[in-house]
Amino acid sequence: MPSGYKVAVVGVTSAAGSEMVKILEERDFPVKELAPLASKHSIGEFIEFKGDSIPVQVINERSFKGADIGFFFAGKAMSKEFAPIAVRNGCVVIDSTSAFGGEEDVPLVVPEVNPHRIKGHKGIIANPSCSTIQLAVVLNPIHKQAKIRRIVVSTYQAVSGTGKKAMDELTEQVRDLFNFREPKIKVYPHQIAFNAIPHIDEFVENAYTAEEMKIVHETRKILEDDSIRICATTVRVPVFYGHSEAVNIETEKKLSPDAVREILVNAPGVIVEDDPWHNKYPLAIYAAARDECFVGRIRKDISVDNGIVMWIVSDNIRKGAALNAVQIAELL
Amino acid sequence: MPSGYKVAVVGVTSAAGSEMVKILEERDFPVKELAPLASKHSIGEFIEFKGDSIPVQVINERSFKGADIGFFFAGKAMSKEFAPIAVRNGCVVIDSTSAFGGEEDVPLVVPEVNPHRIKGHKGIIANPSCSTIQLAVVLNPIHKQAKIRRIVVSTYQAVSGTGKKAMDELTEQVRDLFNFREPKIKVYPHQIAFNAIPHIDEFVENAYTAEEMKIVHETRKILEDDSIRICATTVRVPVFYGHSEAVNIETEKKLSPDAVREILVNAPGVIVEDDPWHNKYPLAIYAAARDECFVGRIRKDISVDNGIVMWIVSDNIRKGAALNAVQIAELL
């Protein structure tokens, strides 16, 4: 029997789940046995892994027998139900849904930012949401140098963040519109093709969306500073892969754009692409399938003292979900 | 001969120019004679106006003989060359390019906001850029009540703002990508289909784009308050019609979201669409072909005292260009 871990991937047929299988293979993660798990809707599907074709198994209480690591991508309800069962089987859960990220004793980890948090885990480690991860990777090194006091972020989020059905919906709506047919609306509350929808996840009491408040809470938790004041507007745009973010920050210590660039050039997991006069700035289509977070358009925020504006882009499925989860497992 | 004005439309074959002809007809603007002008590239084209098919004329020094009003939509260079000639012919120029908006003695007018500015004109009145108009229409009534100190705006701008060629480019790129062909890139520096490009107009010395700095200067000029501090990030998204804007403001006087809604419900040219729990907020696809500026997602900016966030959408070709120009002419 090969040495390594028994790895369960829950929601293996989702966009992030299938990316996860790809990344496990690419990074040669020591997998002794792969358990591709999903709900009964995926019966009959197969997963390709290292030359093998493995049938997807319907998740149940016995799925985690002998499992060492479980990656969860199948939605909050599935995580709430099966993560505790996995933990009872001695399996460490790396959960990419938002089921546990808010809990005090569940570490929320971005390996480039707070790897030390992993140590204290009690069986479950939470993977932050995609829009938070790229923000934290880029802002953490700045925060360490100059103490960020306030963040205003407006996002341009890809449909793959919602999943495969949303990617199909965008594709089909575009086809329908180009063929003079009424586009069908199923996944999103409105047509996403050729539109921008300021509505991701549900609305909560304060008229923000859950996604917006997740950025607030997760960023504070990961940067380990509850005094940072954060305001987010999260918007879905007709992009398949790659979340973009327009980010205004205010720091305690004044930093020039050059100083920020220097900090970021040396930051782990960050690539600075910032030569606008030669049309160089991060773009969703180029960030897709890349591991790093890209940052550019770094300039002084001319509306405030000690302000910096920038444009942050990352592959929301890779770094935003699957890759970050694998990096957490590698740290373990 | 019917009574009314001789109206010249320069750049009549452009997206905004052809919308202008439509609006002149819709609003029954008193046109005695229409002179549809364009560069020699449009030779042989016709314009439909009130049941007539009028050949497009190539613009020259004699085009403005007897003209009363000239609407200019054909780019900065064309305006710089022909607007002074039009003025010498006694024609009032309403210029929608950015050729004159920055000049001290050229009024920059949004009829809902600063109609009184028209009086002082010396032959040329500037139509602000589309991204400024919708911002000014919505923010002016708030500024009057509570004095806006700072504005942070991130835009989601439609390709029609660039013109017909850009709309064709988006269409063709989508078709190419859906047919596994390499998309052609001509109008924009990068693929716009399924992407978000943080680059509108040229970059200027401070690493902002001219479009971003136009929002700063034009908004201050229109709201008649140079002390407002403004920061913009302007982004092109794969949307055909309708600019969206995520806007964070800070005011001197504290306003609740409800107070802001009440101000805006009573503001000219503004429609409040703000019931997020029922999926109601402004959207580009619904704002298209409408005259008003739409605002929603009005909430407290939880990252600052006296802060409000909102989402502003308007048809960039209609209110953002042609309609605003006609409204200026109506005031004249």
Side-chain angles (χ1 to χ4, degrees):
Chain A
M1 208 152 178
S3 73
Y5 304 98
K6 178 174 174 180
V7 174
V9 179
V10 180
V12 73
T13 58
S14 70
S18 47
E19 188 68 25
M20 172 53 99
V21 174
K22 231 195 287 176
I23 293 176
L24 287 173
E25 191 172 327
E26 271 175 34
R27 294 175 79 96
D28 212 13
F29 190 86
V31 179
K32 182 179 65 180
E33 188 190 337
L34 181 71
L37 305 174
S39 73
K40 61 180 191 302
H41 300 295
S42 297
I43 284 183
E45 291 191 42
F46 285 79
I47 289 298
E48 303 298 316
F49 182 65
K50 295 192 173 176
D52 289 336
S53 203
I54 312 174
V56 173
Q57 302 157 29
V58 177
I59 190 169
N60 65 44
E61 302 223 337
R62 294 170 311 279
S63 299
F64 299 93
K65 284 253 159 73
D68 301 296
I69 303 168
F71 295 105
F72 280 65
F73 297 101
K76 228 164 149 165
M78 198 77 125
S79 287
K80 288 255 186 215
E81 185 178 353
F82 287 101
I85 296 172
V87 171
R88 259 179 270 136
N89 279 272
C91 171
V92 176
V93 169
I94 299 170
D95 183 48
S96 296
T97 75
S98 57
F100 307 105
E103 290 180 18
E104 197 62 51
D105 60 350
V106 172
L108 189 67
V109 176
V110 179
E112 292 89 341
V113 180
N114 61 345
H116 53 279
R117 281 283 153 193
I118 285 181
K119 265 181 277 166
H121 81 82
K122 288 168 181 161
I124 301 176
I125 298 164
N127 200 19
S129 71
C130 37
S131 36
T132 303
I133 292 176
Q134 64 191 74
L135 197 63
V137 167
V138 173
L139 295 190
N140 179 60
I142 301 171
H143 184 55
K144 280 195 174 148
Q145 296 270 333
K147 213 165 175 2
I148 295 174
R149 303 315 316 139
R150 184 183 175 204
I151 303 169
V152 171
V153 52
S154 297
T155 70
Y156 304 67
Q157 294 182 230
V159 295
S160 54
T162 314
K164 278 182 180 168
K165 277 186 190 154
M167 292 194 275
D168 290 344
E169 177 146 313
L170 173 55
T171 305
E172 283 160 22
Q173 286 181 354
V174 168
R175 282 218 182 98
D176 284 342
L177 288 162
F178 275 31
N179 288 289
F180 307 102
R181 288 190 299 246
E182 189 69 26
K184 281 183 261 332
I185 289 154
K186 287 173 289 184
V187 177
Y188 294 118
H190 302 279
Q191 175 190 317
I192 181 62
F194 311 116
N195 201 9
I197 309 178
H199 177 177
I200 297 184
D201 207 333
E202 290 176 353
F203 282 94
V204 294
E205 324 78 61
N206 63 356
Y208 282 80
T209 62
E211 178 85 355
E212 287 160 355
M213 294 313 296
K214 234 192 278 177
I215 291 180
V216 174
H217 298 309
E218 290 186 346
T219 305
R220 283 180 181 158
K221 188 167 173 180
I222 297 165
L223 299 191
E224 300 178 352
D225 187 343
D226 278 343
S227 70
I228 304 175
R229 300 185 77 177
I230 306 174
C231 178
T233 300
T234 56
V235 182
R236 191 73 66 186
V237 291
V239 168
F240 283 104
Y241 291 101
H243 285 357
S244 306
E245 297 177 340
V247 183
N248 294 58
I249 60 167
E250 295 164 39
T251 55
E252 202 163 283
K253 189 182 142 195
K254 195 182 188 76
L255 285 178
S256 69
D258 280 339
V260 171
R261 261 183 292 267
E262 208 189 301
I263 291 169
L264 292 176
V265 162
N266 296 304
V270 176
I271 291 183
V272 176
E273 284 192 322
D274 198 11
D275 184 6
W277 290 276
H278 293 96
N279 300 330
K280 234 186 127 186
Y281 30 72
L283 288 173
I285 54 162
Y286 301 137
R290 297 286 299 273
D291 290 350
E292 300 86 357
C293 298
F294 296 83
V295 58
R297 301 241 31 222
I298 299 165
R299 59 206 195 277
K300 191 178 157 23
D301 180 337
I302 50 175
S303 70
V304 74
D305 298 335
N306 296 10
I308 291 283
V309 208
M310 65 193 100
W311 178 251
I312 300 173
V313 181
S314 183
D315 184 327
N316 55 302
I317 292 299
R318 244 183 122 77
K319 182 57 189 168
L323 176 67
N324 198 70
V326 174
Q327 289 171 323
I328 292 173
E330 287 170 348
L331 282 175
L332 282 169
Chain B
M1 205 150 183
S3 72
Y5 304 99
K6 178 174 172 180
V7 175
V9 179
V10 180
V12 74
T13 58
S14 70
S18 48
E19 188 70 25
M20 171 55 99
V21 174
K22 230 194 287 176
I23 293 176
L24 287 172
E25 192 172 326
E26 272 175 32
R27 294 175 79 94
D28 213 13
F29 191 85
V31 178
K32 183 178 65 182
E33 188 189 337
L34 181 71
L37 305 174
S39 74
K40 61 180 192 302
H41 301 293
S42 298
I43 284 184
E45 292 190 39
F46 285 79
I47 290 297
E48 303 298 317
F49 182 65
K50 294 191 172 176
D52 288 337
S53 203
I54 311 173
V56 173
Q57 301 157 29
V58 177
I59 191 169
N60 65 43
E61 302 224 335
R62 295 171 310 280
S63 299
F64 299 93
K65 285 253 159 71
D68 301 296
I69 303 168
F71 295 105
F72 281 64
F73 297 101
K76 227 164 150 167
M78 197 78 126
S79 287
K80 289 255 185 214
E81 184 177 354
F82 289 101
I85 295 171
V87 172
R88 258 178 271 135
N89 279 273
C91 172
V92 177
V93 169
I94 298 170
D95 183 49
S96 297
T97 76
S98 57
F100 308 105
E103 289 179 20
E104 197 64 50
D105 60 348
V106 172
L108 187 69
V109 176
V110 179
E112 292 88 341
V113 181
N114 60 346
H116 52 278
R117 282 282 153 194
I118 285 181
K119 265 182 276 164
H121 82 83
K122 288 167 180 163
I124 301 176
I125 298 164
N127 201 19
S129 71
C130 37
S131 36
T132 303
I133 291 176
Q134 64 191 73
L135 197 62
V137 167
V138 173
L139 295 190
N140 180 60
I142 301 171
H143 184 55
K144 281 197 174 144
Q145 297 271 333
K147 213 164 174 4
I148 294 174
R149 304 314 317 138
R150 184 183 175 205
I151 304 168
V152 171
V153 52
S154 298
T155 70
Y156 304 67
Q157 293 182 232
V159 295
S160 55
T162 314
K164 278 182 183 170
K165 277 185 190 155
M167 291 192 275
D168 291 344
E169 178 146 312
L170 173 56
T171 305
E172 283 160 23
Q173 286 182 353
V174 167
R175 282 218 183 98
D176 284 342
L177 287 162
F178 274 32
N179 288 289
F180 308 102
R181 288 190 300 246
E182 190 70 24
K184 282 184 259 333
I185 289 154
K186 288 174 287 186
V187 177
Y188 294 118
H190 302 279
Q191 174 190 316
I192 181 63
F194 311 117
N195 201 9
I197 308 177
H199 176 177
I200 296 183
D201 208 333
E202 289 174 355
F203 282 94
V204 294
E205 325 79 62
N206 63 356
Y208 282 79
T209 63
E211 178 85 355
E212 287 160 354
M213 294 313 296
K214 234 192 277 176
I215 291 180
V216 174
H217 298 310
E218 290 186 347
T219 305
R220 284 180 181 159
K221 189 168 172 178
I222 297 165
L223 299 190
E224 300 178 352
D225 186 342
D226 279 342
S227 70
I228 304 175
R229 301 184 78 178
I230 306 174
C231 179
T233 300
T234 55
V235 182
R236 191 73 67 186
V237 291
V239 168
F240 284 104
Y241 291 102
H243 285 356
S244 306
E245 297 177 341
V247 182
N248 294 60
I249 60 166
E250 294 164 40
T251 54
E252 203 163 283
K253 189 181 141 194
K254 195 182 189 74
L255 285 178
S256 69
D258 280 340
V260 172
R261 262 183 291 268
E262 207 189 302
I263 291 170
L264 292 176
V265 161
N266 296 303
V270 177
I271 291 183
V272 177
E273 284 191 322
D274 198 11
D275 184 5
W277 291 275
H278 294 94
N279 301 329
K280 234 185 130 188
Y281 29 72
L283 289 172
I285 55 162
Y286 301 137
R290 297 286 299 274
D291 290 349
E292 299 88 355
C293 299
F294 296 83
V295 58
R297 300 238 35 219
I298 300 165
R299 60 206 193 277
K300 191 178 160 18
D301 180 337
I302 50 175
S303 70
V304 74
D305 298 335
N306 296 9
I308 291 283
V309 208
M310 64 193 100
W311 178 251
I312 301 173
V313 181
S314 183
D315 184 327
N316 54 302
I317 293 298
R318 243 182 123 78
K319 181 57 189 168
L323 175 67
N324 198 69
V326 174
Q327 289 172 321
I328 293 173
E330 286 171 348
L331 282 175
L332 282 169

